[in-house]
Amino acid sequence: MARRHLTPLDWSTAALRAMAHGGVAAVSVNALAGELGTTRGSFYWHFKDRDALLTAALEVWEEGTTTALISELDDITDPRQRLTTLFTTALGQQEINGLEPAIVAHADHPAVAPILRRVTDRRIAYLTDLYTDLSLAPAAARRQAVVAYAAYLGWLELRRSASDIVPEVATTGTTATAALEHLLTELARSGKHQA
């Protein structure tokens, strides 16, 4: 049986899965090679070292969860619908469960910090623009953007750490759907009342 040629994306995705389950320390070249059914040589064909893999993996995460999502949302002209779609997508079924909280937990890691800061800045700026489009003054839009982003991060952390006692944060089910609708209503209402 011929071995499949692995790409940098294959390695990056495996690194993100490892990070979601065990943090940055779980991103081990040997462990990933075993998971991918290859040798360390394949890794070094694509990456200089482990930090280069971490950076590439985090850039894949940034592209998929921030850059591409914002690009898709730009096609929606109604800002309230954009907000709903943003949160429904961001809090929906995750490609790699637990990844976002794992990344945030390593905010001070030298490979994580610059990308996480860039993603956070871009997301809050996007939310600020979105709340400005909902007629909030710039300072109020920024405050609401921070509240909305904090709600997002908290929601994902609850899903990762306490989903058994907080079923409202699940990705499916009537309780989860009702809770998500309530969150969206409150985030949209906050934007309306602060204008």
Side-chain angles (χ1 to χ4, degrees), residues 2-185:
R3 222 188 268 196
R4 171 175 86 89
H5 292 285
L6 296 174
T7 66
L9 180 60
D10 294 323
W11 282 96
S12 295
T13 302
L16 291 172
R17 281 194 306 268
M19 196 179 307
H21 296 292
V24 171
V27 180
S28 155
V29 175
N30 287 336
L32 294 178
E35 177 189 329
L36 294 169
T38 192
T39 65
R40 290 173 52 97
S42 170
F43 169 81
Y44 289 109
W45 180 259
H46 299 293
F47 300 101
K48 181 180 112 183
D49 56 26
R50 180 177 170 272
D51 281 347
L53 170 61
L54 284 171
T55 298
L58 290 165
E59 288 172 347
V60 166
W61 165 73
E62 175 183 23
E63 172 60 31
T65 64
T66 304
T67 306
L69 179 56
I70 288 172
S71 179
E72 289 171 27
L73 293 170
D74 283 344
D75 293 338
I76 302 171
T77 55
D78 176 46
R80 197 163 306 286
Q81 183 59 44
R82 238 184 351 234
L83 179 71
T84 299
T85 303
L86 170 62
F87 273 91
T88 301
T89 302
L91 293 172
Q93 186 66 41
Q94 310 249 297
E95 200 170 310
I96 302 174
N97 288 327
L99 180 58
E100 188 105 6
I103 291 170
V104 172
H106 293 88
D108 58 349
H109 187 280
V112 175
I115 297 169
L116 180 59
R117 289 179 61 80
R118 186 171 65 226
V119 165
T120 301
D121 182 55
R122 179 133 190 238
R123 289 175 176 181
I124 290 177
Y126 183 79
L127 283 164
T128 300
D129 290 346
L130 184 52
Y131 279 108
T132 301
D133 291 347
L134 286 167
S135 302
L136 264 67
R142 170 71 183 200
R143 285 190 301 271
Q144 187 58 31
V146 170
V147 167
Y149 194 60
Y152 161 75
L153 290 176
W155 196 277
L156 291 181
E157 179 58 27
L158 278 172
R159 182 181 290 161
R160 184 195 66 78
S161 65
S163 61
D164 58 332
I165 58 173
V166 188
E168 293 85 352
V169 298
T171 57
T172 60
T174 55
T175 301
T177 300
L180 181 57
E181 287 175 8
H182 177 73
L183 175 66
L184 291 169
T185 299

Side-chain angles (χ1 to χ4, degrees), residues 80 131 134-136 144 186-195:
R80 197 163 306 286
Y131 279 108
L134 286 167
S135 302
L136 264 67
Q144 187 58 31
E186 291 304 310
L187 291 174
R189 182 188 346 260
S190 296
K192 198 182 333 177
H193 291 294
Q194 293 182 29

